Amino acid sequence: MKEIIATDTAPGAVGPYSQATRSGDLVFCSGQIGIDPVTGALAEGVEAQAERVLENLAAVLDAAGATLDDVLKTTVYLASIEDFKTVNGVYARFFTKNQPARAAFAVNALPLGALVEIEAVARVG
């Protein structure tokens, strides 16, 4: 059984997909980019976008009954591998203990000109 997770405390999907889905105790979060859910504006600069991405991800997880501490795996997409160190620094502030498994790599482009996108899988409870 699949449950659709949606919250207005994170930006809505920019395409035909859900913010997250839940099946049993697993939550699959779609990639988040650095859009402010109130203004709809993309944060300026890679550090601000990374912070907003992780705040958005936390909001989606909260709607599913989970937290960043429940994340098992993330995938980090970067518009430029040169931003890896900066994004890694922000990431470390949000995942302070029991860090999840992770993949991180550069891609050709991200939606809406974003500089970073992060998706996650978490276990609830």
Side-chain angles (χ1 to χ4, degrees), residues 24-123:
D25 61 353
L26 292 177
V27 178
F28 300 88
C29 298
S30 294
Q32 288 290 318
I33 59 175
I35 295 175
D36 183 300
V38 175
T39 67
L42 191 62
E44 298 219 9
V46 70
E47 186 168 0
Q49 283 189 30
E51 289 172 355
R52 183 77 253 172
V53 164
L54 289 162
E55 290 166 358
N56 292 343
L57 185 59
V60 172
L61 287 165
D62 183 62
T67 70
L68 290 173
D69 289 339
D70 298 313
V71 173
L72 302 171
K73 167 82 168 61
T74 62
T75 304
V76 179
Y77 304 94
L78 302 166
S80 171
I81 200 66
E82 300 299 319
D83 292 329
F84 179 83
K85 183 176 180 181
T86 300
V87 171
N88 201 48
V90 173
Y91 187 97
R93 293 196 316 261
F94 282 80
F95 292 103
T96 59
K97 60 182 178 175
N98 300 319
Q99 291 85 2
R102 180 182 83 178
F105 49 91
V107 296
N108 186 35
L110 292 168
L112 306 177
L115 302 173
V116 60
E117 179 175 353
I118 301 175
E119 66 179 15
V121 177
R123 183 178 303 275

Side-chain angles (χ1 to χ4, degrees), residues 3-30:
E3 174 188 355
I4 303 300
I5 306 299
T7 179
D8 60 3
T9 60
V14 295
Y17 60 89
S18 301
Q19 289 171 315
T21 58
R22 180 176 174 176
S23 181
D25 61 353
L26 292 177
V27 178
F28 300 88
C29 298
S30 294

